[in-house]
Amino acid sequence: MTQTNVGPSATAVALRQRIEDRTALVGIVGLGYVGLPLALTFAEGSYRVLGFDVDRAKVEALSRGENYIRHLDSSRVPRSSERFSATDDFGRLSEPDVLVICVPTPLTPQREPDMSYVVGTAREVRSRLRKGQLIILESTTYPGTTDELVRGILEGSGLRCGQDFYLAFSPEREDPGNSRFGTATIPKVVGGVDAEGGDLAQAFYDKVIARTVRVSSARTAEATKLVENIFRAVNIALVNELKIVFDRMGIDVWEVLDAASTKPFGFMRFNPGPGWGGHCIPLDPFYLAWKAREYGISPKFIELAGDVNVRMPHYVTEKLQQALNDRSKAVRGSKVLVLGLAYKKDIDDPRESPAFEILELLRHMGASLAYHDPHVPHAPRMRTWPDLPPMSSVPLTAELLSGQDAVVIVTDHSAVDYEFVLRHAPLVVDTRGIYRDKSEKVVKA
Ligand SMILES: NC(=O)c1ccc[n+]([C@@H]2O[C@H](COP(=O)([O-])OP(=O)(O)OC[C@H]3O[C@@H](n4cnc5c(N)ncnc54)[C@H](O)[C@@H]3O)[C@@H](O)[C@H]2O)c1
């Protein structure tokens, strides 16, 4: 009788042992908002961690023990040590037993997945891949990336997935600025391209993450992450559209939402705002839309949510224009202060923030612009808004506020004294529902 060998291979057993006894060297590729907290979580979990990044400035900062992510507790970033170090020497990719890839997945100008970072990293790994390594992709992406694209590149080395090396996908669910949940306490979804890859990846995360959720495949794990973000994108669009409808009807959307939220079941609150922002919600849904077209389907909710959310900065500037008009003023020549540049409260991340689109629209209309953001001292140059001049946050003084024609609240940072703003500014356009009472000075947008 022939016997099939169903147990893990000797290579997998050895790797698992190193994971279990924490002698495995962990490599994190891409030390940004996702990769750095993850690297620190494994270092704090008594693993030796080697971080990789193409950005020399980040590597040097980490070597000095300097933190470059504001919402991250700086005491967590140790000076380069036996436990944690960073490098831009990709020749060392062969050293780690486990390599976790956390590089960006943006969109091209045509709103299609830009896989160049993932592909570039997979090729770097391929040229140093050795037997017994576990590779995990964390970057948000379309279903099939790990077991079609990444696997294909890695197997170009001549090594076989599931025999010589192992491969899995585990989406990051980082919520920057969330004080209740961090990397170690957010349940982690894990799916392997095969059972062995999934088992090893699950064992790996089980050592430092409170709860792992195993799914049947890498594709399922990739789809799970996209569903989470599409759910947010669509609901944000819905509530933004309702805001416009209710505004026309003379109904305050915030009062409606407060009341609707008292329903103890079947309702989940989303708040309207000036649009959508960040590296995830405005981008990730289009990864699925793109892949779905390969299957002859064009998902309508995703496109519709995009249309509504992208229009919101226009709605905000139209409300401002109207309010200035009511005061016999034009946007051209008016002094406008944008309050908050980050895409959401209490973080320093301005990527894809609707604040830039609002600034660009107002610049185009001839407004004289300034911004204040306690978390973003300088506005970085943005690829999407190349005409915006370099700007720095101005101090929020009574003189500054009273000298404006209007203040537009884009981000509701906790560090801002909104009563102070209202006291001194002549007109405030509130996109975040800060001011609930009616006031001559406040326009809700
Ligand atoms: N920021 C979030 O809250 C969040 C949440 C969930 C998922 N994600 C996903 O995680 C991934 C990473 O996002 P992020 O916010 O950490 O991005 P980020 O831009 O903050 O970090 C990416 C890092 O990768 C580095 N990098 C770029 N190319 C590289 C390469 N070839 N090799 C090594 N390093 C390279 C960059 O210098 C940067 O430090 C994306 O796919 C994103 O969609 C992000």
Side-chain angles (χ1 to χ4, degrees):
M1 202 171 77
T2 48
Q3 211 176 341
T4 353
N5 179 11
V6 287
S9 64
T11 320
V13 171
L15 175 56
R16 182 153 193 153
Q17 189 54 48
R18 279 198 295 285
I19 289 171
E20 293 298 340
D21 63 21
R22 297 177 199 254
T23 55
L25 176 64
V26 177
I28 307 285
V29 190
L31 298 169
Y33 286 94
V34 167
L36 183 56
L38 187 72
L40 299 176
T41 303
F42 276 97
E44 288 155 4
S46 299
Y47 285 88
R48 283 175 307 126
V49 177
L50 178 57
F52 294 85
D53 205 293
V54 285
D55 186 342
R56 186 156 250 285
K58 281 186 181 160
V59 170
E60 283 170 0
L62 291 172
S63 304
R64 293 190 297 268
E66 282 170 27
N67 172 23
Y68 44 79
I69 298 181
R70 277 197 181 208
H71 62 264
L72 198 69
D73 178 357
S74 289
S75 67
R76 290 185 66 196
V77 181
R79 204 173 262 281
S80 196
S81 66
E82 164 92 358
R83 186 73 55 219
F84 174 69
S85 58
T87 182
D88 60 357
D89 176 5
F90 285 71
R92 299 186 65 189
L93 281 171
S94 59
E95 292 177 30
D97 298 289
V98 184
L99 272 174
V100 189
I101 302 172
C102 309
V103 295
T105 43
L107 292 176
T108 66
Q110 291 75 35
R111 303 195 78 69
E112 292 186 347
D114 175 356
M115 299 308 291
S116 59
Y117 298 89
V118 170
V119 168
T121 303
R123 286 185 181 148
E124 293 275 7
V125 173
R126 176 183 61 192
S127 55
R128 284 96 182 181
L129 193 64
R130 64 166 169 84
K131 220 173 159 169
Q133 280 184 309
L134 167 65
I135 318 295
I136 304 172
L137 181 64
E138 287 215 4
S139 305
T140 306
T141 185
Y142 61 81
T145 305
T146 311
D147 63 8
E148 290 166 11
L149 185 67
V150 177
R151 179 190 188 147
I153 294 171
L154 296 181
E155 288 196 330
S157 64
L159 295 176
R160 304 261 52 90
C161 181
Q163 275 175 30
D164 303 316
F165 71 92
Y166 305 95
L167 185 58
F169 181 82
S170 180
E172 184 47 64
R173 284 169 158 170
E174 196 70 21
D175 185 17
N178 188 326
S179 53
R180 283 178 53 224
F181 295 101
T183 313
T185 52
I186 301 170
K188 195 121 178 56
V189 173
V190 181
V193 302
D194 49 33
E196 207 129 272
D199 287 349
L200 286 165
Q202 186 171 19
F204 172 66
Y205 289 116
D206 270 341
K207 300 302 282 183
V208 298
I209 309 275
R211 184 173 161 228
T212 52
V213 181
R214 180 68 178 277
V215 293
S216 61
S217 64
R219 308 166 80 85
T220 306
E222 288 159 339
T224 304
K225 171 71 190 181
L226 291 182
V227 165
E228 291 166 10
N229 284 354
I230 291 166
F231 175 78
R232 289 193 62 75
V234 168
N235 280 288
I236 291 167
L238 175 65
V239 81
N240 276 335
E241 185 167 73
L242 292 176
K243 167 175 78 169
I244 297 171
V245 172
F246 289 144
D247 182 63
R248 282 278 174 88
M249 294 176 169
I251 297 168
D252 183 346
V253 69
W254 296 96
E255 193 184 351
V256 172
L257 290 169
D258 287 347
S261 301
T262 60
K263 186 179 177 186
F265 47 84
F267 181 79
M268 184 181 286
R269 180 175 185 144
F270 281 80
N271 289 324
W276 56 1
H279 186 32
C280 296
I281 311 293
L283 311 186
D284 301 347
F286 295 99
Y287 271 70
L288 187 68
W290 177 81
K291 190 67 178 171
R293 284 198 286 277
E294 195 179 304
Y295 293 80
I297 302 166
S298 192
K300 295 191 181 49
F301 272 103
I302 293 173
E303 299 295 343
L304 184 60
D307 289 350
V308 173
N309 286 330
V310 162
R311 247 210 67 72
M312 293 318 293
H314 294 259
Y315 176 73
V316 173
T317 52
E318 281 157 19
K319 293 291 278 187
L320 169 66
Q321 200 172 4
Q322 213 172 44
L324 286 171
N325 188 58
D326 291 345
R327 288 158 178 77
S328 305
K329 290 180 181 176
V331 175
R332 182 167 301 282
S334 283
K335 284 179 140 185
V336 181
L337 177 79
V338 167
L339 196 44
L341 203 72
Y343 77 87
K344 73 170 182 176
K345 79 188 279 186
D346 299 344
I347 65 164
D348 66 350
D349 187 352
R351 288 178 297 176
E352 309 293 329
S353 172
F356 290 99
E357 184 65 18
I358 290 170
L359 283 166
E360 174 59 20
L361 290 168
L362 294 175
R363 184 194 70 80
H364 205 71
M365 286 192 256
S368 166
L369 296 166
Y371 87 89
H372 172 81
D373 190 312
H375 302 290
V376 188
H378 305 288
R381 272 224 168 271
M382 297 305 235
R383 203 174 48 167
T384 325
W385 298 277
D387 296 334
L388 273 178
M391 295 171 84
S392 296
S393 175
V394 292
L396 200 60
T397 61
E399 296 72 47
L400 174 88
L401 289 164
S402 56
Q404 301 299 309
D405 293 292
V407 173
V408 182
I409 299 174
V410 174
T411 322
D412 47 345
H413 289 308
S414 314
V416 171
D417 180 346
Y418 294 100
E419 284 318 310
F420 176 78
V421 172
L422 189 57
R423 206 172 323 128
H424 296 287
L427 167 66
V428 184
V429 177
D430 176 12
T431 71
R432 296 286 185 180
I434 305 257
Y435 305 105
R436 293 301 173 86
D437 298 333
K438 270 202 160 45
S439 157
E440 290 271 290
K441 279 188 179 183
V442 176
V443 170
K444 295 183 185 183

